[in-house]
Amino acid sequence: MNAQPVYLDYAATTPVDPRVAEVMARHLTLDGTFANPASRSHMAGWLAEQAVESARRRVSDLIGADPREIVWTSGATEADNLALIGYMRANRARGTHLITSAIEHKAVLDSATALEREGFEVTRLTPRSDGSIDPRHLADALREDTVLVSLMAVNNELGSINDLAALGAICAEHGVAFHVDAAQAAGRVSLDVGTLPIDLLSLSAHKAYGPKGIGALFVRRGVRLEALIHGGGHERGMRSGTLATHQIVGMGEAISLIEQQCDSDMRHVRALSERFCHGLNALDGVWINAAQGERVPHILNIGCEGVDGESLLMALRGLAVSTGSACNSASVDPSYVLTGIGVPRDRALASIRFSFGRFTTENDIDRALNELGQALGSLRQRESA
Ligand SMILES: *Cc1c(COP(=O)(O)O)cnc(C)c1O
């Protein structure tokens, strides 16, 4: 009966909404809208272009941007690379200093390290213990030669939320561009670039019930970037390559659904989160990391006294959950995000992340709590034996 593990790893990736899969399937085969959107010589090409531009409008609508400010990429990783490396290279004459934080996604952190090898300077802010960046801390780190600040909207391991309005205001006041990695934030927090002083913003479809392999970078009008991928000059020269029509319409549909459903999606995960936390309270020696600040309800990073996270994952055979970010699951180092907010190494190693979403049921939550309780019981018994 319960052969399928309960999927509680929505922060790593979400399943594609069946409505999205259906739209994508209509953009692949001969009877569908499969043509190259850059083909100008036939109707099939124009129809594909129309589909791409309609999706672009749906993505720009979510964040209150103009469709011409959206650049398609292969995902948030590429969008982060283009934002950081593309912006720093294009604006080198104005300054060479970048500010980010110690708990960003590797797509940002590794881009920053690559920039250091090119002679740029990087400051990595230490977050508060709740995972958020103190705006005063950012203000103190600004220098004469700072040209870009890159901070995430929602942390993928903790669920913590940054105050984008306050952080962006400091950047704007000092004439510094502000990049936001919003891969985890679409439909969860406001990303209205009409009111928020954000210049660059990365999105990913597969964290929002769309397909993997597609994302977008919002580039505010007037912001200059140096392209990283050269070719036919697609996307106004910022990102060459034949547009992946089926991926793009999938992202457009997913983002549109997220916008329509955000209230009911949020109510759903909030109720599940309360149910889960209520159940956790009944277990001994379990805590929630970074619980005290502003958080999204569907990502819960929990620590379990006296157990090792890797062993706990192995014991939770009926659950698909993870320790920290998926990109680090090959190593046994504690999560740099947890140590980055000051969680001691042993407590970080005893932590795992649960994340849920649109298709998670109350029954899934109950099964997770049940398994967790049993696993903790047997692991601790083994430990004390
Ligand atoms: C998933 C994720 C990324 C990477 O997105 P891809 O589309 O998988 O490249 C970047 N930043 C954050 C915060 C993420 O959660």
Side-chain angles (χ1 to χ4, degrees):
M1 276 292 285
N2 288 345
Q4 282 269 8
V6 177
Y7 186 78
L8 295 174
D9 206 8
Y10 277 70
T13 193
T14 57
V16 172
D17 190 296
R19 293 166 290 184
V20 171
E22 195 265 323
V23 171
M24 290 179 70
R26 283 194 267 117
H27 291 79
L28 286 166
T29 48
L30 182 60
D31 58 344
T33 311
F34 71 91
N36 189 328
S39 294
R40 292 292 158 84
S41 56
H42 47 70
M43 190 68 177
W46 303 334
L47 288 174
E49 186 189 21
Q50 268 180 17
V52 164
E53 293 315 311
S54 154
R56 197 190 300 276
R57 205 165 315 111
R58 296 172 114 179
V59 171
S60 66
D61 279 350
L62 176 83
I63 59 170
D66 186 282
R68 286 166 296 185
E69 296 174 310
I70 300 297
V71 174
W72 299 116
T73 64
S74 61
T77 297
E78 188 192 327
D80 288 346
N81 272 261
L82 179 55
L84 269 69
I85 299 173
Y87 189 86
M88 294 306 287
R89 283 183 183 166
N91 293 276
R92 193 190 286 264
R94 289 177 39 236
T96 54
H97 183 229
L98 161 73
I99 299 175
T100 183
S101 92
I103 62 164
E104 297 299 306
H105 191 273
K106 286 287 184 184
V108 164
L109 291 178
D110 290 353
S111 293
T113 304
L115 283 165
E116 282 177 321
R117 286 196 294 268
E118 285 181 31
F120 292 97
E121 283 184 73
V122 180
T123 297
R124 295 168 184 82
L125 300 174
T126 302
R128 294 184 280 216
S129 61
D130 66 5
S132 67
I133 298 298
D134 184 341
R136 281 169 306 181
H137 209 136
L138 169 61
D140 290 343
L142 287 170
R143 305 191 325 205
E144 215 38 52
D145 59 345
T146 309
V147 287
L148 180 65
V149 170
S150 176
L151 296 170
M152 66 210 311
V154 172
N155 185 273
N156 48 303
E157 288 193 36
L158 308 170
S160 54
I161 297 173
N162 265 324
D163 184 347
L164 299 179
L167 295 165
I170 289 166
C171 296
E173 208 176 292
H174 292 83
V176 172
F178 186 32
H179 167 247
V180 174
D181 178 343
Q184 295 286 347
R188 284 95 178 191
V189 302
S190 168
L191 297 173
D192 181 15
V193 299
T195 52
L196 293 166
I198 294 171
D199 301 289
L200 297 156
L201 181 137
S202 304
L203 291 168
S204 174
H206 77 96
K207 306 286 175 67
Y209 311 102
K212 295 165 195 53
I214 184 73
L217 180 66
F218 157 74
V219 183
R220 190 178 288 282
R221 190 193 320 249
V223 170
R224 286 197 324 114
L225 293 183
E226 198 177 291
L228 302 183
I229 296 178
H230 307 280
H234 306 75
E235 299 298 276
R236 287 167 295 123
M238 280 187 267
R239 205 283 192 175
S240 288
T242 301
L243 293 176
T245 314
H246 62 301
Q247 303 287 82
I248 289 170
V249 298
M251 180 162 183
E253 185 71 15
I255 291 293
S256 188
L257 288 171
I258 259 223
E259 196 177 8
Q260 285 163 35
Q261 282 192 224
C262 73
D263 289 342
S264 63
D265 278 346
M266 283 305 277
R267 262 198 308 279
H268 178 65
V269 294
R270 200 168 287 124
L272 294 176
S273 182
E274 275 166 24
R275 191 179 185 91
F276 189 59
C277 290
H278 186 76
L280 289 180
N281 279 338
L283 300 174
D284 283 332
V286 173
W287 67 89
I288 298 171
N289 290 307
Q292 68 277 33
E294 279 269 6
R295 308 178 46 260
V296 290
H298 68 288
I299 300 178
L300 285 157
N301 195 307
I302 72 160
C304 306
E305 190 90 56
V307 304
D308 150 66
E310 292 297 324
S311 318
L312 183 56
L313 277 195
M314 299 288 237
L316 297 172
R317 236 162 303 160
L319 307 182
V321 291
S322 67
T323 51
S325 93
C327 321
N328 297 327
S329 56
S331 76
V332 287
D333 286 337
S335 150
Y336 69 91
V337 172
L338 290 175
T339 54
I341 61 166
V343 174
R345 186 186 155 85
D346 59 327
R347 278 170 84 91
L349 282 170
S351 296
I352 59 175
R353 178 187 67 187
F354 289 81
S355 51
F356 31 84
R358 188 178 288 166
F359 306 111
T360 309
T361 63
E362 289 189 347
N363 185 43
D364 291 338
I365 297 294
D366 295 346
R367 276 180 61 192
L369 286 164
N370 195 24
E371 274 223 26
L372 182 61
Q374 282 180 12
L376 286 178
S378 59
L379 284 172
R380 284 173 181 158
Q381 202 169 12
R382 201 184 306 163
E383 202 64 18
S384 64

